[in-house]
Amino acid sequence: MRAVAARPSGSGRYLSAGQAAVRAARLAELHPGLVAVRQVGRSRGGRPLVLVSVGRGPRHVLAVGGPHPNEPVGTATALHLAERAVQEPELRRGGEVTWNVLLCLDPDGAALNEGWLGGPLTMERHYRSFYRPALEDQPEWLPAAGSGRAALPETAALTTVIDELRPFLQCSLHGVDVGGTFVQLTGPVPGLAEPFARSAAAAGLPLERGPYDAFFWPSPGPGLYVMPAAGAKDRFAALAENSAHSTWSYVQRHGGVTAVVEVPMWAAPGVADAAPHPDPAGALGEAAGVLLRETEPLAELLALARPLLPAPEGPLLRSALWHLSIVPQLALDWSPEAVAADVGSLSVLSGAHLAGVAIQTARMPVRIAALLVRLLQGAEGPAAAELRRRAGRLLAAHVERFRTGFGVRPVPVGEQVAHQARAVVAAAGALL
């Protein structure tokens, strides 16, 4: 498989789920017999979940776009992969391989983030339209055993597709706001490290060497992380996500591997710093303190705002409450004693590990402030207007800190999409 290809038209911008579906339908019209488009389910809000398949081979790749709605790159990459599979017959391996892309796993959430897609892709505009679901509203997570919860409709649709296709590779197409690029794997993919690093270099993206999401995962190469064995430390305690109870791991029952491919909207060079950190204990303690200080006024503001909100419930409020709820435990997770107990010695922590923690201390307040601003948009009266002004000032300050504090550069959408697609193609090639 070729690692680099001519970029299909339109990959230089983000797409809404609806725009991607229209483009996919057109692709099927142009290539009947090769491209099939079908609805495989509906979201909680009744929106269609659209699967595009290119080829008719017995071996399947499945790429999942839009698993987190604040990460719009995945839907653009999913369509890009379908277009590449049409244009490059070698990806289909002489008819052996079918490429399947689920354009958007959470179209309801994506609709709540569409406000910034049509204008300048600035960080300020991104957070003015920000929404990321609370954990229980995220469709990649299976209900915990004994929870009594049914799977979300989106989750059930995805697992049904996995059971039907039995893919040898599933790729979950994620993005980060600020950071670098990395891949989380549910099993080894020998031969992926070199093409992944080469692709990142071509896009000018730092390989993330200590990502917050894979802080405790073993790494077979720069930017690659393999899910720990059962019983080993998976995530910080504040993150209730359990990788073993996810749609990522679900594919293993059919002998497949999942690659969660992350690509940044704004690249931060510090996440690639593999040198030992000179004072990890001090940096961890400072991060915990900053996190608590910066979120305390936001918690107070939300408490004042709740009686004034036009809707007592809803996804934005659930998200704000969830983000605030994990802050105290996260600060405990970052105590030097807790981290040392998990990693053995703080001396193993690199500059990248602490850069990832520092970025998270800025990410949490900016997200909560963004959700507060959106929640207060529909509130009426002078008290609500004053709270709206306060929330807006806090959001502006937190965005400025995020924008200027980590030496970031914006990554053009075309570079994000091209790199993410190259990573998927390289993973498929390595497994084949």
Side-chain angles (χ1 to χ4, degrees):
M1 292 188 177
R2 292 188 302 184
V4 181
R7 184 180 301 161
S9 63
S11 62
R13 62 186 180 91
Y14 296 128
L15 299 171
S16 70
Q19 289 170 333
V22 169
R23 288 264 301 275
R26 179 60 177 157
L27 192 67
E29 291 174 2
L30 292 172
H31 302 279
L34 177 62
V35 180
V37 178
R38 60 187 168 113
Q39 182 178 308
V40 293
R42 285 194 175 272
S43 69
R44 284 154 283 174
R47 293 179 171 86
L49 303 176
V50 178
L51 184 76
V52 185
S53 299
V54 182
R56 301 198 179 280
R59 305 192 68 185
H60 292 267
V61 176
L62 172 62
V64 180
H68 283 151
N70 60 304
E71 301 166 2
V73 65
T75 294
T77 300
L79 182 65
H80 177 89
L81 283 166
E83 293 173 341
R84 279 194 60 176
V86 169
Q87 295 173 5
E88 302 173 44
E90 61 269 32
L91 294 184
R92 305 194 300 275
R93 291 289 181 106
E96 177 188 4
V97 176
T98 298
W99 286 78
N100 308 274
V101 299
L102 184 61
L103 293 176
C104 185
L105 181 60
D106 186 0
D108 295 348
L112 287 172
N113 277 275
E114 286 180 7
W116 81 301
L117 299 186
L121 300 180
T122 65
M123 191 177 292
E124 292 82 357
R125 290 191 71 254
H126 170 65
Y127 281 105
R128 289 283 173 178
S129 297
F130 174 82
Y131 166 68
R132 181 186 180 92
L135 180 62
E136 63 269 19
D137 292 332
Q138 296 180 16
E140 283 196 309
W141 304 107
L142 302 174
S147 68
R149 288 199 305 118
L152 299 174
E154 300 89 341
T155 310
L158 177 54
T159 55
T160 298
V161 167
I162 291 171
D163 287 336
E164 174 195 336
L165 300 179
R166 304 171 65 90
F168 70 88
L169 172 67
Q170 175 186 222
C171 289
S172 182
L173 305 175
H174 284 250
V176 296
D177 39 20
V178 171
T181 183
F182 62 99
V183 179
Q184 294 168 267
L185 299 163
T186 59
V189 181
L192 178 58
E194 192 276 333
F196 182 69
R198 187 170 64 243
S199 175
L205 298 176
L207 291 172
E208 194 146 346
R209 303 294 291 264
Y212 167 78
D213 287 345
F215 201 88
F216 305 104
W217 291 29
S219 177
L224 299 186
Y225 301 88
V226 178
M227 190 168 70
K233 182 76 172 182
D234 182 7
R235 294 175 178 244
F236 289 109
L239 303 180
E241 303 101 319
N242 184 336
S243 301
H245 297 290
S246 67
T247 55
W248 309 344
S249 296
Y250 189 87
V251 77
Q252 291 177 310
R253 66 186 58 197
H254 301 300
V257 173
T258 293
V260 181
V261 186
E262 302 269 7
V263 61
M265 291 187 277
W266 289 274
V271 299
D273 180 9
H277 193 279
D279 182 19
L284 287 167
E286 179 182 1
V290 168
L291 182 66
L292 293 172
R293 287 197 306 274
E294 297 292 342
T295 54
E296 183 178 1
L298 295 169
E300 294 172 354
L301 192 58
L302 180 58
L304 293 172
R306 287 191 72 177
L308 307 176
L309 299 181
E313 287 295 334
L316 292 171
L317 180 57
R318 287 197 301 273
S319 177
L321 292 171
W322 173 70
H323 277 87
L324 278 167
S325 73
I326 66 176
V327 165
Q329 181 59 55
L330 194 53
L332 292 174
D333 291 344
W334 289 347
S335 72
E337 297 77 17
V339 175
D342 288 324
V343 301
S345 170
L346 295 182
S347 64
V348 304
L349 298 183
S350 65
H353 286 102
L354 275 304
V357 169
I359 287 171
Q360 190 66 6
T361 68
R363 177 179 290 133
M364 292 294 285
V366 78
R367 287 181 171 181
I368 297 166
L371 290 163
L372 271 170
V373 167
R374 295 196 68 181
L375 283 166
L376 284 161
Q377 283 173 352
E380 298 179 351
E386 174 57 25
L387 292 178
R388 193 158 47 242
R389 284 191 291 270
R390 289 172 58 184
R393 288 194 296 268
L394 286 170
L395 176 58
H398 287 302
V399 167
E400 184 65 11
R401 177 189 171 208
F402 213 13
R403 190 178 65 82
T404 62
F406 300 98
V408 303
R409 77 163 181 91
V411 181
V413 176
E415 291 183 13
Q416 297 176 42
V417 170
H419 166 64
Q420 193 167 54
R422 289 194 297 262
V424 173
V425 170
L431 290 171
L432 286 167

